[in-house]
Amino acid sequence: MPEIKSSSIQMNEKSESHVYEPAEDTFLLLNAALNEAEENDLILELGTGSGIIAKALSERLKISKVVTTDINPHAVRYARSKGLDVIRTYLFRGLKGKFDLIIFNPPYLPMGEREIEDRWLEISWDGGDDGRRIINEFLDGVGRHLSKRGRFLLVVSSLSGMDEAIKSAEDEGFKIEIISEEKLFF
Amino acid sequence: MRRDLIDLLACPICKGDLIIESESISKEEGDEIIEGRLYCSRCKEYYPIEDGVPILLPPEMR
């Protein structure tokens, strides 16, 4: 399967300054999701942002249903303009039911107290003091929303403690596998 | 939102079922509700559907 590279997709409207622009981590997850998703899967993408992962999945998998969420009102508007089913909610708050595949590129950067310049944009990367605040909340809730054959794909960064995140997931009873890695320089 | 999405939605406060409040629907396109409201009978709370997107946040988080 050809890899989708960041250079081939761009967000087109200038309006989306408050939405996380597809970056390296987006494409890492996108390619992993395209490999993992199966026809007939009921798929949930949390924090869909620009919606490009969900959009690519729904185009590739004709039978599967893809549902997306974001807490950012600008992101939900953008994702909906791409024809996606979008719910504005926080993690699993407004959801019930079980999904076969749950995808999440969470806010994972460690950030302390600081001046906030763009609240909706910063929410997309602010992972709290250690970078794992949202990841831990996700791991706490995801089990209740997975079907019997349910899997989840989660982006975790070395900046927010990969071993700790994996341990948290294993403590919740999940079997964890690293399926894709990329080294990035900041 | 498409009407069948309701099966996957829950009240963000009590996680109970939501209903589509039919009389609140002011705009529809095909089977999609563009403007309307969802209702939790347990919490007596309404959740708006705006521009086709259900907003399932407690009032203080919107």
Side-chain angles (χ1 to χ4, degrees), chain B residues 40-53:
Chain B
C40 173
S41 56
R42 203 184 306 175
C43 300
K44 310 233 178 319
E45 190 64 64
Y46 292 94
Y47 298 97
I49 303 167
E50 290 174 7
D51 293 328
V53 178

Side-chain angles (χ1 to χ4, degrees), chain A residues 30-142:
Chain A
L30 170 55
N31 287 302
L34 287 171
N35 282 325
E36 180 62 33
E38 289 170 15
E39 207 55 88
N40 276 318
D41 274 347
L42 177 57
I43 301 173
L44 170 68
E45 188 191 13
L46 297 176
T48 194
S50 65
I52 73 154
I53 295 176
K55 187 72 188 162
L57 286 171
S58 62
E59 282 169 1
R60 175 76 58 85
L61 305 159
K62 297 297 175 201
I63 310 170
S64 299
K65 186 177 168 70
V66 184
V67 175
T68 67
T69 74
D70 209 294
I71 195 170
N72 176 344
H74 306 281
V76 298
R77 202 172 305 131
Y78 189 85
R80 175 155 161 88
S81 75
K82 300 290 157 201
L84 294 164
D85 284 326
V86 192
I87 302 155
R88 187 167 166 234
T89 194
Y90 176 69
L91 289 175
F92 298 103
R93 286 289 286 267
L95 296 170
K96 68 175 182 194
K98 298 193 187 291
F99 299 83
D100 302 309
L101 181 62
I102 298 178
I103 297 166
F104 191 26
N105 182 5
Y108 55 70
L109 293 184
M111 292 196 149
E113 294 280 319
R114 74 211 178 282
E115 290 267 306
I116 291 176
E117 285 168 21
D118 182 334
R119 177 176 169 229
W120 291 118
L121 190 57
E122 294 195 11
I123 258 181
S124 70
W125 63 66
D126 185 351
D129 285 343
D130 62 4
R132 290 193 306 281
R133 189 168 64 83
I134 316 291
I135 288 172
N136 288 337
E137 265 187 78
F138 169 83
L139 291 171
D140 189 44
V142 66

Side-chain angles (χ1 to χ4, degrees), chain A residues 13-33:
Chain A
E13 284 104 62
K14 63 168 173 40
S15 60
E16 295 324 316
S17 55
H18 306 293
V19 180
Y20 186 73
E21 260 198 65
E24 289 87 347
D25 51 356
T26 314
F27 294 96
L28 186 69
L29 182 59
L30 170 55
N31 287 302

